[in-house]
Amino acid sequence: MKINNLLYKKYFLSLIVCTVSSLTIFFIFSLIGNLNEKYSFITIIKTSFLNALQILIYVPGFVYLLSIILLTVFLKSKNEIIIIK
């Protein structure tokens, strides 16, 4: 039971890290693309955040795949994958 809890905690940690980093990267690129518009800066920030969120919702496989890769990296970093095997 403890191994299952460890795996769940590590997976949710990797999922959160992956989601936040992907949202940040997509937000920055969307912000750069929207800075050419003639709107106020607050409107541009809101639009960029919604665009980044839209990309994450449209491509959930990207977040899932990245979180699985990050989970294996987390498990290999402290040799926890040997215990699970």
Side-chain angles (χ1 to χ4, degrees), residues 42-80:
I42 300 297
T43 306
I44 291 174
I45 287 178
K46 289 178 185 176
T47 305
S48 298
F49 180 73
L50 289 175
N51 285 344
L53 195 62
Q54 181 181 14
I55 292 171
L56 282 180
I57 290 172
Y58 280 169
V59 190
F62 169 75
V63 175
Y64 177 72
L65 182 65
L66 228 57
S67 65
I68 294 295
I69 293 170
L70 199 58
L71 174 68
T72 58
V73 169
F74 282 162
L75 291 177
K76 283 183 180 179
S77 67
K78 294 184 180 178
N79 290 332
E80 293 172 345

PDB file of all heavy atoms in Angstrom, residues 42-80:
ATOM      1  N   ILE A  42      -3.707  44.609 -19.848  1.00  0.00           N
ATOM      2  CA  ILE A  42      -4.499  43.663 -19.057  1.00  0.00           C
ATOM      3  C   ILE A  42      -5.301  42.745 -19.978  1.00  0.00           C
ATOM      4  O   ILE A  42      -5.383  41.531 -19.741  1.00  0.00           O
ATOM      5  CB  ILE A  42      -5.433  44.415 -18.076  1.00  0.00           C
ATOM      6  CG1 ILE A  42      -4.628  45.287 -17.121  1.00  0.00           C
ATOM      7  CG2 ILE A  42      -6.340  43.463 -17.345  1.00  0.00           C
ATOM      8  CD1 ILE A  42      -3.704  44.503 -16.212  1.00  0.00           C
ATOM      9  N   THR A  43      -5.862  43.291 -21.030  1.00  0.00           N
ATOM     10  CA  THR A  43      -6.612  42.483 -21.994  1.00  0.00           C
ATOM     11  C   THR A  43      -5.696  41.500 -22.706  1.00  0.00           C
ATOM     12  O   THR A  43      -6.074  40.343 -22.938  1.00  0.00           O
ATOM     13  CB  THR A  43      -7.307  43.403 -23.016  1.00  0.00           C
ATOM     14  OG1 THR A  43      -8.084  44.367 -22.329  1.00  0.00           O
ATOM     15  CG2 THR A  43      -8.189  42.609 -23.954  1.00  0.00           C
ATOM     16  N   ILE A  44      -4.487  41.932 -23.022  1.00  0.00           N
ATOM     17  CA  ILE A  44      -3.529  41.046 -23.680  1.00  0.00           C
ATOM     18  C   ILE A  44      -3.124  39.908 -22.749  1.00  0.00           C
ATOM     19  O   ILE A  44      -3.012  38.753 -23.174  1.00  0.00           O
ATOM     20  CB  ILE A  44      -2.301  41.847 -24.157  1.00  0.00           C
ATOM     21  CG1 ILE A  44      -2.698  42.766 -25.316  1.00  0.00           C
ATOM     22  CG2 ILE A  44      -1.167  40.933 -24.580  1.00  0.00           C
ATOM     23  CD1 ILE A  44      -1.610  43.704 -25.770  1.00  0.00           C
ATOM     24  N   ILE A  45      -2.935  40.199 -21.462  1.00  0.00           N
ATOM     25  CA  ILE A  45      -2.569  39.153 -20.503  1.00  0.00           C
ATOM     26  C   ILE A  45      -3.701  38.145 -20.358  1.00  0.00           C
ATOM     27  O   ILE A  45      -3.471  36.934 -20.342  1.00  0.00           O
ATOM     28  CB  ILE A  45      -2.184  39.769 -19.142  1.00  0.00           C
ATOM     29  CG1 ILE A  45      -0.826  40.442 -19.254  1.00  0.00           C
ATOM     30  CG2 ILE A  45      -2.171  38.721 -18.041  1.00  0.00           C
ATOM     31  CD1 ILE A  45      -0.367  41.118 -18.001  1.00  0.00           C
ATOM     32  N   LYS A  46      -4.942  38.623 -20.255  1.00  0.00           N
ATOM     33  CA  LYS A  46      -6.086  37.713 -20.146  1.00  0.00           C
ATOM     34  C   LYS A  46      -6.219  36.845 -21.391  1.00  0.00           C
ATOM     35  O   LYS A  46      -6.453  35.633 -21.296  1.00  0.00           O
ATOM     36  CB  LYS A  46      -7.376  38.510 -19.930  1.00  0.00           C
ATOM     37  CG  LYS A  46      -7.480  39.147 -18.576  1.00  0.00           C
ATOM     38  CD  LYS A  46      -8.758  39.962 -18.462  1.00  0.00           C
ATOM     39  CE  LYS A  46      -8.826  40.699 -17.154  1.00  0.00           C
ATOM     40  NZ  LYS A  46     -10.019  41.569 -17.072  1.00  0.00           N
ATOM     41  N   THR A  47      -6.066  37.449 -22.555  1.00  0.00           N
ATOM     42  CA  THR A  47      -6.167  36.706 -23.806  1.00  0.00           C
ATOM     43  C   THR A  47      -5.047  35.667 -23.920  1.00  0.00           C
ATOM     44  O   THR A  47      -5.288  34.533 -24.345  1.00  0.00           O
ATOM     45  CB  THR A  47      -6.101  37.673 -25.001  1.00  0.00           C
ATOM     46  OG1 THR A  47      -7.108  38.664 -24.858  1.00  0.00           O
ATOM     47  CG2 THR A  47      -6.298  36.938 -26.312  1.00  0.00           C
ATOM     48  N   SER A  48      -3.844  36.040 -23.516  1.00  0.00           N
ATOM     49  CA  SER A  48      -2.720  35.107 -23.579  1.00  0.00           C
ATOM     50  C   SER A  48      -2.923  33.938 -22.633  1.00  0.00           C
ATOM     51  O   SER A  48      -2.612  32.791 -22.971  1.00  0.00           O
ATOM     52  CB  SER A  48      -1.417  35.825 -23.243  1.00  0.00           C
ATOM     53  OG  SER A  48      -1.159  36.834 -24.180  1.00  0.00           O
ATOM     54  N   PHE A  49      -3.443  34.204 -21.438  1.00  0.00           N
ATOM     55  CA  PHE A  49      -3.703  33.120 -20.491  1.00  0.00           C
ATOM     56  C   PHE A  49      -4.777  32.176 -21.028  1.00  0.00           C
ATOM     57  O   PHE A  49      -4.643  30.955 -20.927  1.00  0.00           O
ATOM     58  CB  PHE A  49      -4.125  33.679 -19.136  1.00  0.00           C
ATOM     59  CG  PHE A  49      -4.415  32.615 -18.125  1.00  0.00           C
ATOM     60  CD1 PHE A  49      -3.380  31.884 -17.560  1.00  0.00           C
ATOM     61  CD2 PHE A  49      -5.719  32.326 -17.755  1.00  0.00           C
ATOM     62  CE1 PHE A  49      -3.640  30.889 -16.640  1.00  0.00           C
ATOM     63  CE2 PHE A  49      -5.986  31.337 -16.837  1.00  0.00           C
ATOM     64  CZ  PHE A  49      -4.945  30.611 -16.275  1.00  0.00           C
ATOM     65  N   LEU A  50      -5.829  32.732 -21.615  1.00  0.00           N
ATOM     66  CA  LEU A  50      -6.880  31.885 -22.186  1.00  0.00           C
ATOM     67  C   LEU A  50      -6.363  31.077 -23.375  1.00  0.00           C
ATOM     68  O   LEU A  50      -6.743  29.916 -23.551  1.00  0.00           O
ATOM     69  CB  LEU A  50      -8.081  32.735 -22.585  1.00  0.00           C
ATOM     70  CG  LEU A  50      -8.893  33.294 -21.424  1.00  0.00           C
ATOM     71  CD1 LEU A  50      -9.990  34.215 -21.942  1.00  0.00           C
ATOM     72  CD2 LEU A  50      -9.489  32.177 -20.595  1.00  0.00           C
ATOM     73  N   ASN A  51      -5.486  31.662 -24.170  1.00  0.00           N
ATOM     74  CA  ASN A  51      -4.896  30.921 -25.295  1.00  0.00           C
ATOM     75  C   ASN A  51      -4.027  29.770 -24.801  1.00  0.00           C
ATOM     76  O   ASN A  51      -4.070  28.667 -25.358  1.00  0.00           O
ATOM     77  CB  ASN A  51      -4.065  31.847 -26.170  1.00  0.00           C
ATOM     78  CG  ASN A  51      -4.918  32.742 -27.033  1.00  0.00           C
ATOM     79  OD1 ASN A  51      -6.106  32.512 -27.214  1.00  0.00           O
ATOM     80  ND2 ASN A  51      -4.299  33.776 -27.576  1.00  0.00           N
ATOM     81  N   ALA A  52      -3.236  30.022 -23.765  1.00  0.00           N
ATOM     82  CA  ALA A  52      -2.383  28.964 -23.213  1.00  0.00           C
ATOM     83  C   ALA A  52      -3.226  27.854 -22.602  1.00  0.00           C
ATOM     84  O   ALA A  52      -2.932  26.667 -22.765  1.00  0.00           O
ATOM     85  CB  ALA A  52      -1.443  29.558 -22.167  1.00  0.00           C
ATOM     86  N   LEU A  53      -4.290  28.218 -21.911  1.00  0.00           N
ATOM     87  CA  LEU A  53      -5.190  27.222 -21.331  1.00  0.00           C
ATOM     88  C   LEU A  53      -5.897  26.429 -22.422  1.00  0.00           C
ATOM     89  O   LEU A  53      -6.084  25.217 -22.295  1.00  0.00           O
ATOM     90  CB  LEU A  53      -6.209  27.923 -20.425  1.00  0.00           C
ATOM     91  CG  LEU A  53      -6.993  27.069 -19.469  1.00  0.00           C
ATOM     92  CD1 LEU A  53      -6.051  26.392 -18.484  1.00  0.00           C
ATOM     93  CD2 LEU A  53      -7.996  27.911 -18.726  1.00  0.00           C
ATOM     94  N   GLN A  54      -6.250  27.090 -23.507  1.00  0.00           N
ATOM     95  CA  GLN A  54      -6.900  26.414 -24.626  1.00  0.00           C
ATOM     96  C   GLN A  54      -5.974  25.381 -25.260  1.00  0.00           C
ATOM     97  O   GLN A  54      -6.404  24.275 -25.606  1.00  0.00           O
ATOM     98  CB  GLN A  54      -7.313  27.450 -25.667  1.00  0.00           C
ATOM     99  CG  GLN A  54      -8.017  26.878 -26.860  1.00  0.00           C
ATOM    100  CD  GLN A  54      -8.375  27.943 -27.880  1.00  0.00           C
ATOM    101  OE1 GLN A  54      -7.870  29.062 -27.813  1.00  0.00           O
ATOM    102  NE2 GLN A  54      -9.226  27.592 -28.812  1.00  0.00           N
ATOM    103  N   ILE A  55      -4.702  25.704 -25.385  1.00  0.00           N
ATOM    104  CA  ILE A  55      -3.741  24.752 -25.956  1.00  0.00           C
ATOM    105  C   ILE A  55      -3.623  23.532 -25.056  1.00  0.00           C
ATOM    106  O   ILE A  55      -3.588  22.396 -25.532  1.00  0.00           O
ATOM    107  CB  ILE A  55      -2.379  25.430 -26.161  1.00  0.00           C
ATOM    108  CG1 ILE A  55      -2.468  26.477 -27.262  1.00  0.00           C
ATOM    109  CG2 ILE A  55      -1.312  24.403 -26.512  1.00  0.00           C
ATOM    110  CD1 ILE A  55      -1.243  27.351 -27.393  1.00  0.00           C
ATOM    111  N   LEU A  56      -3.563  23.736 -23.733  1.00  0.00           N
ATOM    112  CA  LEU A  56      -3.455  22.601 -22.811  1.00  0.00           C
ATOM    113  C   LEU A  56      -4.706  21.732 -22.826  1.00  0.00           C
ATOM    114  O   LEU A  56      -4.615  20.518 -22.661  1.00  0.00           O
ATOM    115  CB  LEU A  56      -3.193  23.092 -21.388  1.00  0.00           C
ATOM    116  CG  LEU A  56      -1.770  23.513 -21.084  1.00  0.00           C
ATOM    117  CD1 LEU A  56      -1.660  23.971 -19.642  1.00  0.00           C
ATOM    118  CD2 LEU A  56      -0.807  22.395 -21.338  1.00  0.00           C
ATOM    119  N   ILE A  57      -5.853  22.334 -23.020  1.00  0.00           N
ATOM    120  CA  ILE A  57      -7.096  21.557 -23.058  1.00  0.00           C
ATOM    121  C   ILE A  57      -7.216  20.796 -24.379  1.00  0.00           C
ATOM    122  O   ILE A  57      -7.687  19.654 -24.409  1.00  0.00           O
ATOM    123  CB  ILE A  57      -8.306  22.472 -22.824  1.00  0.00           C
ATOM    124  CG1 ILE A  57      -8.305  22.942 -21.368  1.00  0.00           C
ATOM    125  CG2 ILE A  57      -9.615  21.772 -23.150  1.00  0.00           C
ATOM    126  CD1 ILE A  57      -9.330  24.000 -21.056  1.00  0.00           C
ATOM    127  N   TYR A  58      -6.751  21.393 -25.473  1.00  0.00           N
ATOM    128  CA  TYR A  58      -6.845  20.729 -26.770  1.00  0.00           C
ATOM    129  C   TYR A  58      -5.877  19.562 -26.910  1.00  0.00           C
ATOM    130  O   TYR A  58      -6.129  18.632 -27.650  1.00  0.00           O
ATOM    131  CB  TYR A  58      -6.585  21.714 -27.907  1.00  0.00           C
ATOM    132  CG  TYR A  58      -7.766  22.576 -28.264  1.00  0.00           C
ATOM    133  CD1 TYR A  58      -7.622  23.659 -29.110  1.00  0.00           C
ATOM    134  CD2 TYR A  58      -9.030  22.319 -27.765  1.00  0.00           C
ATOM    135  CE1 TYR A  58      -8.688  24.455 -29.449  1.00  0.00           C
ATOM    136  CE2 TYR A  58     -10.098  23.109 -28.089  1.00  0.00           C
ATOM    137  CZ  TYR A  58      -9.924  24.174 -28.931  1.00  0.00           C
ATOM    138  OH  TYR A  58     -10.978  24.964 -29.268  1.00  0.00           O
ATOM    139  N   VAL A  59      -4.749  19.617 -26.225  1.00  0.00           N
ATOM    140  CA  VAL A  59      -3.730  18.593 -26.381  1.00  0.00           C
ATOM    141  C   VAL A  59      -3.409  17.979 -25.019  1.00  0.00           C
ATOM    142  O   VAL A  59      -2.337  18.186 -24.471  1.00  0.00           O
ATOM    143  CB  VAL A  59      -2.449  19.190 -27.019  1.00  0.00           C
ATOM    144  CG1 VAL A  59      -1.484  18.093 -27.399  1.00  0.00           C
ATOM    145  CG2 VAL A  59      -2.772  20.052 -28.212  1.00  0.00           C
ATOM    146  N   PRO A  60      -4.333  17.188 -24.446  1.00  0.00           N
ATOM    147  CA  PRO A  60      -4.049  16.606 -23.130  1.00  0.00           C
ATOM    148  C   PRO A  60      -3.030  15.470 -23.202  1.00  0.00           C
ATOM    149  O   PRO A  60      -2.375  15.160 -22.215  1.00  0.00           O
ATOM    150  CB  PRO A  60      -5.404  16.088 -22.658  1.00  0.00           C
ATOM    151  CG  PRO A  60      -6.161  15.837 -23.908  1.00  0.00           C
ATOM    152  CD  PRO A  60      -5.684  16.871 -24.893  1.00  0.00           C
ATOM    153  N   GLY A  61      -2.863  14.866 -24.359  1.00  0.00           N
ATOM    154  CA  GLY A  61      -1.878  13.804 -24.512  1.00  0.00           C
ATOM    155  C   GLY A  61      -0.457  14.309 -24.307  1.00  0.00           C
ATOM    156  O   GLY A  61       0.409  13.583 -23.812  1.00  0.00           O
ATOM    157  N   PHE A  62      -0.231  15.561 -24.657  1.00  0.00           N
ATOM    158  CA  PHE A  62       1.083  16.179 -24.458  1.00  0.00           C
ATOM    159  C   PHE A  62       1.420  16.241 -22.969  1.00  0.00           C
ATOM    160  O   PHE A  62       2.521  15.874 -22.562  1.00  0.00           O
ATOM    161  CB  PHE A  62       1.068  17.584 -25.076  1.00  0.00           C
ATOM    162  CG  PHE A  62       2.266  18.423 -24.727  1.00  0.00           C
ATOM    163  CD1 PHE A  62       3.487  18.182 -25.320  1.00  0.00           C
ATOM    164  CD2 PHE A  62       2.156  19.454 -23.808  1.00  0.00           C
ATOM    165  CE1 PHE A  62       4.591  18.952 -25.005  1.00  0.00           C
ATOM    166  CE2 PHE A  62       3.250  20.220 -23.488  1.00  0.00           C
ATOM    167  CZ  PHE A  62       4.465  19.979 -24.089  1.00  0.00           C
ATOM    168  N   VAL A  63       0.483  16.677 -22.163  1.00  0.00           N
ATOM    169  CA  VAL A  63       0.704  16.789 -20.717  1.00  0.00           C
ATOM    170  C   VAL A  63       0.854  15.406 -20.108  1.00  0.00           C
ATOM    171  O   VAL A  63       1.721  15.176 -19.249  1.00  0.00           O
ATOM    172  CB  VAL A  63      -0.453  17.567 -20.052  1.00  0.00           C
ATOM    173  CG1 VAL A  63      -0.300  17.588 -18.546  1.00  0.00           C
ATOM    174  CG2 VAL A  63      -0.534  18.975 -20.594  1.00  0.00           C
ATOM    175  N   TYR A  64       0.049  14.459 -20.542  1.00  0.00           N
ATOM    176  CA  TYR A  64       0.124  13.095 -20.007  1.00  0.00           C
ATOM    177  C   TYR A  64       1.473  12.461 -20.330  1.00  0.00           C
ATOM    178  O   TYR A  64       2.117  11.873 -19.460  1.00  0.00           O
ATOM    179  CB  TYR A  64      -1.019  12.251 -20.562  1.00  0.00           C
ATOM    180  CG  TYR A  64      -0.976  10.817 -20.112  1.00  0.00           C
ATOM    181  CD1 TYR A  64      -1.280  10.479 -18.804  1.00  0.00           C
ATOM    182  CD2 TYR A  64      -0.608   9.805 -20.988  1.00  0.00           C
ATOM    183  CE1 TYR A  64      -1.233   9.159 -18.375  1.00  0.00           C
ATOM    184  CE2 TYR A  64      -0.553   8.485 -20.572  1.00  0.00           C
ATOM    185  CZ  TYR A  64      -0.869   8.177 -19.268  1.00  0.00           C
ATOM    186  OH  TYR A  64      -0.802   6.877 -18.848  1.00  0.00           O
ATOM    187  N   LEU A  65       1.920  12.567 -21.571  1.00  0.00           N
ATOM    188  CA  LEU A  65       3.187  11.982 -21.980  1.00  0.00           C
ATOM    189  C   LEU A  65       4.357  12.630 -21.248  1.00  0.00           C
ATOM    190  O   LEU A  65       5.259  11.935 -20.760  1.00  0.00           O
ATOM    191  CB  LEU A  65       3.371  12.121 -23.493  1.00  0.00           C
ATOM    192  CG  LEU A  65       4.631  11.519 -24.084  1.00  0.00           C
ATOM    193  CD1 LEU A  65       4.616  10.007 -23.929  1.00  0.00           C
ATOM    194  CD2 LEU A  65       4.748  11.893 -25.540  1.00  0.00           C
ATOM    195  N   LEU A  66       4.330  13.938 -21.130  1.00  0.00           N
ATOM    196  CA  LEU A  66       5.402  14.627 -20.423  1.00  0.00           C
ATOM    197  C   LEU A  66       5.419  14.283 -18.947  1.00  0.00           C
ATOM    198  O   LEU A  66       6.492  14.173 -18.349  1.00  0.00           O
ATOM    199  CB  LEU A  66       5.238  16.137 -20.604  1.00  0.00           C
ATOM    200  CG  LEU A  66       6.464  16.930 -21.001  1.00  0.00           C
ATOM    201  CD1 LEU A  66       7.052  16.390 -22.274  1.00  0.00           C
ATOM    202  CD2 LEU A  66       6.118  18.377 -21.137  1.00  0.00           C
ATOM    203  N   SER A  67       4.250  14.095 -18.344  1.00  0.00           N
ATOM    204  CA  SER A  67       4.212  13.748 -16.922  1.00  0.00           C
ATOM    205  C   SER A  67       4.718  12.324 -16.679  1.00  0.00           C
ATOM    206  O   SER A  67       5.367  12.067 -15.665  1.00  0.00           O
ATOM    207  CB  SER A  67       2.806  13.914 -16.361  1.00  0.00           C
ATOM    208  OG  SER A  67       1.919  13.004 -16.950  1.00  0.00           O
ATOM    209  N   ILE A  68       4.464  11.402 -17.598  1.00  0.00           N
ATOM    210  CA  ILE A  68       4.993  10.042 -17.466  1.00  0.00           C
ATOM    211  C   ILE A  68       6.521  10.058 -17.581  1.00  0.00           C
ATOM    212  O   ILE A  68       7.227   9.385 -16.811  1.00  0.00           O
ATOM    213  CB  ILE A  68       4.373   9.106 -18.522  1.00  0.00           C
ATOM    214  CG1 ILE A  68       2.877   8.926 -18.269  1.00  0.00           C
ATOM    215  CG2 ILE A  68       5.085   7.762 -18.549  1.00  0.00           C
ATOM    216  CD1 ILE A  68       2.555   8.219 -16.967  1.00  0.00           C
ATOM    217  N   ILE A  69       7.039  10.821 -18.514  1.00  0.00           N
ATOM    218  CA  ILE A  69       8.491  10.932 -18.660  1.00  0.00           C
ATOM    219  C   ILE A  69       9.103  11.560 -17.417  1.00  0.00           C
ATOM    220  O   ILE A  69      10.134  11.104 -16.908  1.00  0.00           O
ATOM    221  CB  ILE A  69       8.837  11.733 -19.931  1.00  0.00           C
ATOM    222  CG1 ILE A  69       8.434  10.949 -21.180  1.00  0.00           C
ATOM    223  CG2 ILE A  69      10.313  12.101 -19.967  1.00  0.00           C
ATOM    224  CD1 ILE A  69       8.503  11.732 -22.460  1.00  0.00           C
ATOM    225  N   LEU A  70       8.459  12.590 -16.900  1.00  0.00           N
ATOM    226  CA  LEU A  70       8.950  13.240 -15.691  1.00  0.00           C
ATOM    227  C   LEU A  70       8.864  12.324 -14.478  1.00  0.00           C
ATOM    228  O   LEU A  70       9.733  12.361 -13.598  1.00  0.00           O
ATOM    229  CB  LEU A  70       8.162  14.523 -15.451  1.00  0.00           C
ATOM    230  CG  LEU A  70       8.766  15.568 -14.534  1.00  0.00           C
ATOM    231  CD1 LEU A  70      10.120  16.009 -15.054  1.00  0.00           C
ATOM    232  CD2 LEU A  70       7.842  16.745 -14.430  1.00  0.00           C
ATOM    233  N   LEU A  71       7.845  11.474 -14.427  1.00  0.00           N
ATOM    234  CA  LEU A  71       7.731  10.506 -13.341  1.00  0.00           C
ATOM    235  C   LEU A  71       8.902   9.530 -13.354  1.00  0.00           C
ATOM    236  O   LEU A  71       9.476   9.235 -12.301  1.00  0.00           O
ATOM    237  CB  LEU A  71       6.409   9.746 -13.448  1.00  0.00           C
ATOM    238  CG  LEU A  71       6.209   8.603 -12.455  1.00  0.00           C
ATOM    239  CD1 LEU A  71       6.079   9.145 -11.047  1.00  0.00           C
ATOM    240  CD2 LEU A  71       4.999   7.786 -12.849  1.00  0.00           C
ATOM    241  N   THR A  72       9.259   9.043 -14.526  1.00  0.00           N
ATOM    242  CA  THR A  72      10.392   8.123 -14.592  1.00  0.00           C
ATOM    243  C   THR A  72      11.698   8.815 -14.204  1.00  0.00           C
ATOM    244  O   THR A  72      12.554   8.206 -13.567  1.00  0.00           O
ATOM    245  CB  THR A  72      10.523   7.502 -15.995  1.00  0.00           C
ATOM    246  OG1 THR A  72      10.683   8.538 -16.957  1.00  0.00           O
ATOM    247  CG2 THR A  72       9.329   6.653 -16.330  1.00  0.00           C
ATOM    248  N   VAL A  73      11.828  10.073 -14.548  1.00  0.00           N
ATOM    249  CA  VAL A  73      13.025  10.811 -14.147  1.00  0.00           C
ATOM    250  C   VAL A  73      13.063  10.984 -12.633  1.00  0.00           C
ATOM    251  O   VAL A  73      14.113  10.834 -12.002  1.00  0.00           O
ATOM    252  CB  VAL A  73      13.081  12.177 -14.863  1.00  0.00           C
ATOM    253  CG1 VAL A  73      14.157  13.069 -14.273  1.00  0.00           C
ATOM    254  CG2 VAL A  73      13.301  11.987 -16.346  1.00  0.00           C
ATOM    255  N   PHE A  74      11.905  11.307 -12.026  1.00  0.00           N
ATOM    256  CA  PHE A  74      11.841  11.439 -10.575  1.00  0.00           C
ATOM    257  C   PHE A  74      12.178  10.123  -9.885  1.00  0.00           C
ATOM    258  O   PHE A  74      12.873  10.109  -8.872  1.00  0.00           O
ATOM    259  CB  PHE A  74      10.464  11.900 -10.118  1.00  0.00           C
ATOM    260  CG  PHE A  74      10.206  13.368 -10.289  1.00  0.00           C
ATOM    261  CD1 PHE A  74       8.911  13.852 -10.279  1.00  0.00           C
ATOM    262  CD2 PHE A  74      11.235  14.268 -10.454  1.00  0.00           C
ATOM    263  CE1 PHE A  74       8.660  15.203 -10.425  1.00  0.00           C
ATOM    264  CE2 PHE A  74      10.994  15.610 -10.613  1.00  0.00           C
ATOM    265  CZ  PHE A  74       9.708  16.089 -10.599  1.00  0.00           C
ATOM    266  N   LEU A  75      11.678   9.026 -10.413  1.00  0.00           N
ATOM    267  CA  LEU A  75      11.934   7.733  -9.784  1.00  0.00           C
ATOM    268  C   LEU A  75      13.385   7.277  -9.968  1.00  0.00           C
ATOM    269  O   LEU A  75      13.953   6.641  -9.086  1.00  0.00           O
ATOM    270  CB  LEU A  75      10.975   6.681 -10.328  1.00  0.00           C
ATOM    271  CG  LEU A  75       9.508   6.849  -9.929  1.00  0.00           C
ATOM    272  CD1 LEU A  75       8.672   5.774 -10.593  1.00  0.00           C
ATOM    273  CD2 LEU A  75       9.338   6.818  -8.433  1.00  0.00           C
ATOM    274  N   LYS A  76      13.976   7.598 -11.107  1.00  0.00           N
ATOM    275  CA  LYS A  76      15.364   7.208 -11.345  1.00  0.00           C
ATOM    276  C   LYS A  76      16.346   8.067 -10.557  1.00  0.00           C
ATOM    277  O   LYS A  76      17.446   7.616 -10.260  1.00  0.00           O
ATOM    278  CB  LYS A  76      15.702   7.312 -12.835  1.00  0.00           C
ATOM    279  CG  LYS A  76      15.156   6.189 -13.657  1.00  0.00           C
ATOM    280  CD  LYS A  76      15.594   6.343 -15.107  1.00  0.00           C
ATOM    281  CE  LYS A  76      15.060   5.230 -15.962  1.00  0.00           C
ATOM    282  NZ  LYS A  76      15.467   5.376 -17.361  1.00  0.00           N
ATOM    283  N   SER A  77      15.954   9.279 -10.209  1.00  0.00           N
ATOM    284  CA  SER A  77      16.891  10.184  -9.556  1.00  0.00           C
ATOM    285  C   SER A  77      17.284   9.714  -8.164  1.00  0.00           C
ATOM    286  O   SER A  77      18.396   9.962  -7.713  1.00  0.00           O
ATOM    287  CB  SER A  77      16.307  11.593  -9.478  1.00  0.00           C
ATOM    288  OG  SER A  77      15.189  11.606  -8.602  1.00  0.00           O
ATOM    289  N   LYS A  78      16.398   9.042  -7.464  1.00  0.00           N
ATOM    290  CA  LYS A  78      16.706   8.545  -6.120  1.00  0.00           C
ATOM    291  C   LYS A  78      16.739   7.020  -6.065  1.00  0.00           C
ATOM    292  O   LYS A  78      16.628   6.440  -4.990  1.00  0.00           O
ATOM    293  CB  LYS A  78      15.672   9.063  -5.128  1.00  0.00           C
ATOM    294  CG  LYS A  78      15.715  10.549  -4.941  1.00  0.00           C
ATOM    295  CD  LYS A  78      14.746  10.998  -3.878  1.00  0.00           C
ATOM    296  CE  LYS A  78      14.799  12.480  -3.701  1.00  0.00           C
ATOM    297  NZ  LYS A  78      13.835  12.942  -2.700  1.00  0.00           N
ATOM    298  N   ASN A  79      16.879   6.381  -7.198  1.00  0.00           N
ATOM    299  CA  ASN A  79      16.920   4.918  -7.318  1.00  0.00           C
ATOM    300  C   ASN A  79      15.678   4.247  -6.725  1.00  0.00           C
ATOM    301  O   ASN A  79      15.750   3.124  -6.225  1.00  0.00           O
ATOM    302  CB  ASN A  79      18.183   4.340  -6.671  1.00  0.00           C
ATOM    303  CG  ASN A  79      19.421   4.700  -7.466  1.00  0.00           C
ATOM    304  OD1 ASN A  79      19.352   4.897  -8.662  1.00  0.00           O
ATOM    305  ND2 ASN A  79      20.538   4.788  -6.776  1.00  0.00           N
ATOM    306  N   GLU A  80      14.548   4.897  -6.781  1.00  0.00           N
ATOM    307  CA  GLU A  80      13.306   4.319  -6.279  1.00  0.00           C
ATOM    308  C   GLU A  80      12.721   3.326  -7.256  1.00  0.00           C
ATOM    309  O   GLU A  80      11.913   2.487  -6.872  1.00  0.00           O
ATOM    310  CB  GLU A  80      12.300   5.425  -5.983  1.00  0.00           C
ATOM    311  CG  GLU A  80      12.719   6.309  -4.834  1.00  0.00           C
ATOM    312  CD  GLU A  80      11.818   7.511  -4.669  1.00  0.00           C
ATOM    313  OE1 GLU A  80      11.051   7.807  -5.605  1.00  0.00           O
ATOM    314  OE2 GLU A  80      11.892   8.151  -3.619  1.00  0.00           O
TER     315      GLU A  80
END
